Amino acid sequence: MPITDAFLDTLRSIVGDKAVLTDGGDLDPHLREERGLYRGQATVAVKPATTEEVSAVVKACAAAGVSIVPQGGNTGLCGGAVSDAGQVILSLSRMNRIRAINPIDFTITVEAGVILEDVQTAALEADRFFPLALGAQGSCQIGGNLATNAGGLNVLRYGNTRDLCLGLEVVLADGTVWNGLKALGKDNTGFALKHLFIGGEGALGIITAAVMKLYPRPLEKQTALCAVDDVAQVPALLALARAMSGDQVSAFELVARFGLELACRHLDGVTDPFEDAHPWYVLAEFSSTRAGTDLRAVFEGFLETAFEQGIISDAVIAESGQQEASFWRMREGLPEAQKHEGASIKHDVAVPVARVPEFLDRAIAGVVAALPGLRPCPFGHVGDGNIHFNLTQPEGMDPKAYLGHWEEMNRIVHDIVVDMGGSISAEHGVGRLKVDEIIHYKSAAEIEVMRKVKVALDPQNLLNPGVVVRI
Amino acid sequence: MPITDAFLDTLRSIVGDKAVLTDGGDLDPHLREERGLYRGQATVAVKPATTEEVSAVVKACAAAGVSIVPQGGNTGLCGGAVSDAGQVILSLSRMNRIRAINPIDFTITVEAGVILEDVQTAALEADRFFPLALGAQGSCQIGGNLATNAGGLNVLRYGNTRDLCLGLEVVLADGTVWNGLKALGKDNTGFALKHLFIGGEGALGIITAAVMKLYPRPLEKQTALCAVDDVAQVPALLALARAMSGDQVSAFELVARFGLELACRHLDGVTDPFEDAHPWYVLAEFSSTRAGTDLRAVFEGFLETAFEQGIISDAVIAESGQQEASFWRMREGLPEAQKHEGASIKHDVAVPVARVPEFLDRAIAGVVAALPGLRPCPFGHVGDGNIHFNLTQPEGMDPKAYLGHWEEMNRIVHDIVVDMGGSISAEHGVGRLKVDEIIHYKSAAEIEVMRKVKVALDPQNLLNPGVVVRI
């Protein structure tokens, strides 16, 4: 359906003139796409300020047969917030109130448009900790984190966004508001509707508010960079860390030698702390929510045991905040460092933790055989089995020509992942980017169940059509 | 549809003669109901041994228009495995293989019919810990635990059954097998179908196998009984415990004075460890998965601080395994102790932890006003906000006459629970028992979404019809 002036007037009557954007400059932030793979084509974005306004907008769109692209901070990496011409972008940015914080209950109730960093800050101000943390936290919104079930840096210890959510408020496809804002650790009164909307990428309902869990603040931390000569030992290193720490491992990140070299070459303040070169590194962190513990001794004991058992060949404990920051700068700056070496083909995959070494062996051999000179730069949250299997282009190759190999590399890497019982999108979601890829790999039965759920909840296909599943 | 001889022959051809039970004696365990509120009426129970057999049975039932009651250990408390005449009971008991255990990955892959205690034992034999623990663990099955999202004693630290599950294998309503047996901590490739079947009580699909999480073994533990004079202080006590322990609280159970008195009166080996009477008690436990820690000192520090802040008025630390067992015998024996005092009306409710005291004040006042002489015996997992709000009959009253007040008490208690944003079934589920109760309390929107999901996944209404939701 085309967007008519009468329809725009209806939207204005619901949210006010200023909250209906039709001007190019105002619209632009809602049309850009993080990786530059797409550009939104919508000519209108609407910014409701309340749940009631979201409901009224959805009802108006349903009546007019206009489909809706819900949008949070628009920082997703799979094109889940990209619009077509004739669609309405529904931005949650103005729904940015923290409705309640309850330190005794360890809960916070937030509207969908609250910036992730503002949730973290509000928790700290109440002497609590909100563990969700990721690169885009200064601009992504908690509603988008929920809709994509965001992962990030603290999944090993605290779980994905899904695991941090107690209750939701959702506007359904017909505009009805479902109030599931329960702050309960236990509630077995029917199907787990909450979990359909979390990770549903806005295709089943529009999340307008959530009750999230808080935790005691981490008060002590020990960080080390470990040198690993045989990547096959990495799962054993993690198991040892879990056992010896009393499950207080808060980070366990893998980096290949090539990644460390790139980081040292291109990032300020990053140096190789070891005398010798090693093929793999693990950035390991233990943390405690108590102060004054024996965490340092426990951490040293873990590293000594790992060394004695031949699991690691060396380790450097961060002896200052500066050194710790340098280790993390190395890890977190890898995508930036890669840019200096030309184009990258990227994969966000997961396999069972114990099979990460086998995956790396097979996938590295596969891609290098297919394109000699290609430089694998795998890194990531190996504690979750999640590898960002990034591939830097061969030296001197034309970047565009290199990116032309993306589909071919996808097939090689994803075939191995699926063969190993893995996931081709560990934390970034499906969006528009991977709809065909999941159809290719999932069983017909699973795609059919997803289609049935979509049709049941959104029979007019009004909510983010074409994202996650096509009907 | 009536069960015909031809249909029975079809079932026999799938699972073998011995696995189709039609004899009264063989059937009896499948017809009994834990609380004696119902009795199953089916004339046939079928016991497939493999996923393929489950699939074939479901296809045969779908073709014949015969509906199915999936059954695990048949220990549920809400009538979720009760059959009508003309239905087939599908027992998963013969699917009792542990398919794989992977200590490095901290995962175990089990078939639905494995007894919960056998999962725990297999984990311990691999030097790992499976935290799900509840009264029926010697006879309930993991498939039933998943289908009802069972809670139990370790939810505060490890979550509900839902939180312990990584992947599922499910036979759908048309007999198709969905293989979602992923051993992944991260997988964002579409709607979270797993979470529909977990807690779905067999109404959306039949769980045949699961990948469950394992944990490092707890190696140290400290247990105390705390005397609390003002129940309003209980949430603050929990928050202090979480903060001072570094989130190592593994149990936090509330018991009223009346419960302690009953336990001392009726249970062997239970005595009141305090000189004075106190209105409330908290059984608190810290545990660590490391040995040789300062857990005792931390625990003592917590109790001292709580005493100094006036949150508790006394505490006794268990100084022996025997004393610890006595504390737990007191807590776990409460339902048994109650039986000696006549009939009980029971509720399994949850409210936000911080509102537990307000709930207790209001609910106790409400039921006592409605039926003078009634003796409230609330206890339970207050760390999850989950109270088993059990009401012992007035002394000398006819038990049957007392139980006639069940509906009236339900209304009083559940009205307060719902008014406080709580749950009327925290861990036991809906089954047949609470279908009308959730219709009464949930919004029409929520019931309608549940109905739509049920119709989408089971359009013939073949899977456990009438359980959770009616269509």
Side-chain angles (χ1 to χ4, degrees):
Chain A
M1 294 289 294
I3 305 285
T4 63
D5 286 345
F7 178 69
L8 290 178
D9 284 342
T10 303
L11 295 180
R12 289 190 187 101
S13 73
I14 296 166
V15 297
D17 291 359
K18 283 188 187 166
V20 178
L21 312 182
T22 53
D23 180 71
D26 293 343
L27 269 179
D28 191 68
H30 300 283
L31 304 181
R32 60 176 287 283
E33 189 273 326
E34 189 71 21
R35 284 182 166 164
L37 301 172
Y38 303 91
R39 179 159 178 89
Q41 301 297 321
T43 55
V44 56
V46 58
K47 301 174 83 166
T50 65
T51 306
E52 293 68 34
E53 287 183 6
V54 174
S55 166
V57 168
V58 171
K59 283 177 183 171
C61 289
V66 173
S67 66
I68 299 166
V69 176
Q71 205 171 74
N74 197 20
T75 61
L77 297 175
C78 293
V82 172
S83 56
D84 289 326
Q87 293 191 303
V88 165
I89 296 166
L90 193 157
S91 164
L92 280 303
S93 338
R94 287 177 69 216
M95 290 198 62
N96 60 358
R97 285 189 315 133
I98 293 174
R99 291 190 188 165
I101 184 162
N102 191 331
I104 290 285
D105 254 355
F106 291 80
T107 60
I108 185 167
T109 305
V110 289
E111 292 185 341
V114 179
I115 302 288
L116 173 53
E117 215 162 64
D118 294 339
V119 185
Q120 297 167 348
T121 303
L124 288 178
E125 284 170 358
D127 195 28
R128 292 293 179 260
F129 178 61
F130 183 63
L132 184 63
L134 42 89
Q137 63 195 27
S139 53
C140 66
Q141 298 171 9
I142 189 71
N145 301 142
L146 283 158
T148 57
N149 186 31
L153 297 172
N154 287 321
V155 175
L156 177 62
R157 179 77 161 266
Y158 297 96
N160 296 285
T161 306
R162 180 184 304 287
D163 305 299
L164 304 175
C165 178
L166 292 172
L168 285 184
E169 178 187 83
V170 176
V171 175
L172 304 172
D174 64 358
T176 308
V177 179
W178 171 53
N179 183 347
L181 276 182
K182 291 192 171 173
L184 303 174
K186 282 181 169 175
D187 179 24
N188 278 344
T189 56
F191 306 143
L193 303 184
K194 171 178 82 181
H195 288 294
L196 282 178
F197 303 112
I198 300 173
E201 305 193 24
L204 300 176
I206 300 172
I207 295 169
T208 49
V211 183
M212 306 301 293
K213 294 184 196 172
L214 301 177
Y215 289 84
R217 290 176 63 171
L219 297 174
E220 286 191 352
K221 168 160 72 168
Q222 292 291 334
T223 310
L225 195 65
C226 307
V228 179
D229 286 338
D230 180 2
V231 74
Q233 298 286 0
V234 167
L237 183 64
L238 176 61
L240 186 70
R242 290 189 66 176
M244 291 191 67
S245 71
D247 237 356
Q248 295 193 300
V249 186
S250 46
F252 196 88
E253 300 279 321
L254 183 72
V255 177
R257 172 72 195 168
F258 178 63
L260 183 72
E261 284 173 2
L262 289 196
C264 292
R265 195 179 306 158
H266 299 297
L267 303 178
D268 289 341
V270 176
T271 54
D272 182 349
F274 300 104
E275 289 188 11
D276 303 319
H278 302 275
W280 297 95
Y281 303 91
V282 167
L283 179 54
E285 186 183 275
F286 287 10
S287 67
S288 167
T289 49
R290 280 204 286 129
T293 72
D294 55 353
L295 194 69
R296 172 69 183 223
V298 171
F299 195 57
E300 286 175 357
F302 154 66
L303 294 172
E304 280 161 22
T305 304
F307 183 79
E308 283 160 15
Q309 294 185 359
I311 296 174
I312 63 174
S313 51
D314 206 347
V316 175
I317 298 180
E319 296 295 353
S320 66
Q322 193 188 347
Q323 193 171 15
E324 181 198 316
S326 162
F327 289 172
W328 276 108
R329 170 95 180 108
M330 183 275 292
R331 162 62 189 85
E332 297 198 86
L334 284 173
E336 179 189 334
Q338 275 195 286
K339 282 185 189 164
H340 292 272
E341 301 279 329
S344 295
I345 293 174
K346 302 186 176 186
H347 306 84
D348 167 40
V349 302
V351 295
V353 174
R355 301 191 73 180
V356 165
E358 181 193 343
F359 164 73
L360 290 169
D361 285 348
R362 289 174 61 182
I364 290 171
V367 295
V368 169
L371 191 65
L374 173 152
R375 295 169 291 169
C377 185
F379 63 89
H381 322 293
V382 72
D384 317 312
N386 180 195
I387 300 295
H388 296 301
F389 193 70
N390 287 7
L391 308 173
T392 299
Q393 66 165 71
E395 289 183 87
M397 190 172 181
D398 173 60
K400 278 197 179 162
Y402 175 65
L403 291 176
H405 291 272
W406 196 305
E407 289 294 318
E408 177 192 351
M409 293 300 146
N410 261 0
R411 196 57 62 236
I412 294 169
V413 174
H414 291 171
D415 277 358
I416 295 168
V417 165
V418 171
D419 181 58
M420 294 179 67
S423 170
I424 63 161
S425 192
E427 58 177 10
H428 295 162
V430 177
R432 293 180 173 221
L433 185 66
K434 295 187 180 173
V435 172
D436 288 318
E437 203 69 2
I438 68 169
I439 291 172
H440 180 78
Y441 284 113
K442 284 187 185 282
S443 67
E446 184 166 342
I447 295 290
E448 185 57 22
V449 175
M450 288 207 286
R451 284 188 68 256
K452 285 175 176 171
V453 170
K454 169 72 175 173
V455 171
L457 269 62
D458 180 18
Q460 279 187 274
N461 202 17
L462 287 175
L463 298 180
N464 227 358
V467 161
V468 181
V469 68
R470 293 199 196 90
I471 61 172
Chain B
M1 296 286 295
I3 305 284
T4 64
D5 287 344
F7 177 68
L8 291 178
D9 286 341
T10 303
L11 295 180
R12 290 189 187 102
S13 72
I14 296 167
V15 298
D17 290 0
K18 283 187 185 165
V20 178
L21 312 182
T22 54
D23 180 71
D26 293 342
L27 269 179
D28 191 67
H30 300 282
L31 304 180
R32 59 177 286 284
E33 189 273 324
E34 189 71 20
R35 283 182 165 165
L37 301 173
Y38 302 92
R39 178 156 180 91
Q41 301 297 320
T43 55
V44 56
V46 58
K47 300 174 83 167
T50 65
T51 306
E52 293 68 34
E53 288 183 6
V54 174
S55 166
V57 168
V58 171
K59 284 177 182 171
C61 289
V66 173
S67 66
I68 298 166
V69 176
Q71 206 172 74
N74 198 20
T75 61
L77 298 174
C78 292
V82 172
S83 55
D84 289 326
Q87 292 190 302
V88 165
I89 296 166
L90 194 156
S91 164
L92 281 303
S93 335
R94 287 177 69 217
M95 290 198 62
N96 60 359
R97 285 189 314 133
I98 292 175
R99 291 191 188 165
I101 183 162
N102 191 332
I104 292 285
D105 254 355
F106 291 81
T107 60
I108 186 167
T109 306
V110 290
E111 292 184 343
V114 179
I115 302 288
L116 173 53
E117 215 163 64
D118 294 340
V119 186
Q120 297 167 348
T121 302
L124 289 178
E125 286 170 357
D127 195 30
R128 292 293 178 262
F129 178 61
F130 183 64
L132 184 64
L134 43 88
Q137 63 195 29
S139 53
C140 65
Q141 299 171 8
I142 189 71
N145 301 142
L146 283 159
T148 57
N149 186 30
L153 298 172
N154 287 321
V155 175
L156 176 61
R157 180 77 162 268
Y158 297 95
N160 295 285
T161 307
R162 180 185 305 287
D163 305 299
L164 304 175
C165 179
L166 292 172
L168 286 184
E169 178 187 83
V170 176
V171 174
L172 305 172
D174 63 0
T176 308
V177 179
W178 171 52
N179 183 347
L181 275 182
K182 291 193 172 171
L184 303 174
K186 282 181 171 175
D187 178 26
N188 278 345
T189 56
F191 305 143
L193 303 183
K194 172 178 84 181
H195 288 295
L196 282 178
F197 303 112
I198 300 173
E201 304 193 24
L204 300 176
I206 301 172
I207 295 169
T208 50
V211 183
M212 306 300 293
K213 292 184 199 172
L214 300 178
Y215 289 84
R217 290 175 63 170
L219 296 174
E220 286 190 351
K221 165 161 75 168
Q222 292 291 333
T223 310
L225 195 65
C226 308
V228 179
D229 287 339
D230 178 3
V231 75
Q233 297 286 359
V234 167
L237 184 63
L238 176 61
L240 186 69
R242 290 188 67 176
M244 290 191 68
S245 71
D247 235 356
Q248 296 192 300
V249 185
S250 47
F252 197 88
E253 301 279 321
L254 182 73
V255 176
R257 172 72 194 169
F258 177 63
L260 183 73
E261 284 174 2
L262 289 196
C264 292
R265 194 180 307 158
H266 300 296
L267 303 178
D268 289 342
V270 175
T271 53
D272 183 348
F274 300 105
E275 289 189 11
D276 302 320
H278 302 274
W280 296 95
Y281 303 90
V282 166
L283 179 53
E285 187 185 274
F286 287 9
S287 67
S288 168
T289 50
R290 280 204 287 130
T293 71
D294 56 351
L295 194 69
R296 172 68 183 225
V298 171
F299 196 56
E300 287 176 358
F302 154 66
L303 295 172
E304 278 161 23
T305 304
F307 182 80
E308 282 161 14
Q309 295 185 355
I311 296 174
I312 63 174
S313 51
D314 205 347
V316 176
I317 297 180
E319 296 294 353
S320 66
Q322 193 188 347
Q323 194 172 14
E324 181 197 318
S326 162
F327 289 172
W328 276 107
R329 171 95 181 107
M330 182 276 291
R331 162 61 189 84
E332 297 197 86
L334 284 172
E336 179 190 334
Q338 276 195 288
K339 283 184 188 164
H340 292 272
E341 300 280 330
S344 295
I345 293 175
K346 301 186 176 186
H347 307 83
D348 167 40
V349 302
V351 294
V353 174
R355 302 190 72 180
V356 165
E358 180 192 346
F359 164 73
L360 290 168
D361 285 349
R362 288 174 63 182
I364 291 171
V367 295
V368 169
L371 191 66
L374 172 151
R375 295 169 292 169
C377 185
F379 63 90
H381 323 293
V382 71
D384 316 312
N386 179 197
I387 300 295
H388 295 300
F389 194 71
N390 288 7
L391 308 172
T392 298
Q393 66 165 73
E395 288 183 89
M397 189 173 184
D398 173 60
K400 279 198 179 162
Y402 174 66
L403 291 176
H405 291 273
W406 196 305
E407 289 294 317
E408 177 192 351
M409 294 300 147
N410 261 359
R411 197 57 61 234
I412 294 169
V413 174
H414 290 172
D415 278 356
I416 294 167
V417 166
V418 171
D419 180 58
M420 294 178 68
S423 169
I424 63 161
S425 192
E427 58 177 12
H428 294 161
V430 177
R432 293 180 174 223
L433 186 65
K434 295 187 179 172
V435 172
D436 288 318
E437 204 68 2
I438 68 169
I439 291 171
H440 180 80
Y441 285 113
K442 285 186 185 283
S443 67
E446 183 167 343
I447 295 290
E448 185 56 22
V449 175
M450 288 207 285
R451 284 188 67 256
K452 285 176 177 171
V453 170
K454 168 72 174 171
V455 171
L457 269 63
D458 181 18
Q460 278 186 274
N461 203 16
L462 287 175
L463 298 180
N464 228 0
V467 161
V468 182
V469 67
R470 293 200 197 90
I471 62 172

